[in-house]
Amino acid sequence: MSDTPASPFTIEHETSDTKGRYVVELNGAEAEMTYSKAGDSMIIIDSTAVPDAMRGQKVGVALVAQAVGDARSSGKKVMPLCPFAKAQFARHPEWRDVLA
């Protein structure tokens, strides 16, 4: 499988013992995708939030793609509970290898 393409945005990854988030800051606005850790082998995408100022720039897709790439490189699976993330998995069949 090929890796997901590099994002045109700078995506920061913050993590704790049980949760994490991917963040893009652009022109004073912040978009984020949050997840919960389910053991050592899976993450559950809880929410994707993109402010109106960033809409149409594919920031949300970039956040989910980053999580997919990170999951793939670390051997984890992804369960997209967030409706946006779930829709992106449906649109990107190349991500199915990490789908829980």
Side-chain angles (χ1 to χ4, degrees), residues 2-16:
S2 64
D3 289 336
T4 50
S7 170
F9 308 102
T10 300
I11 299 175
E12 298 293 328
H13 183 206
E14 301 170 1
T15 187
S16 71

Side-chain angles (χ1 to χ4, degrees), residues 12-64:
E12 298 293 328
H13 183 206
E14 301 170 1
T15 187
S16 71
D17 288 343
T18 59
K19 298 200 174 280
R21 74 181 196 138
Y22 291 90
V23 182
V24 170
E25 291 184 24
L26 200 60
N27 300 325
E30 182 180 276
E32 74 171 357
M33 187 208 75
T34 62
Y35 66 88
S36 298
K37 295 178 182 178
D40 292 330
S41 61
M42 183 168 59
I43 67 166
I44 300 167
I45 298 177
D46 305 313
S47 172
T48 305
V50 177
D52 289 340
M54 292 186 195
R55 299 228 187 252
Q57 299 179 55
K58 301 197 181 284
V59 175
V61 176
L63 291 168
V64 178

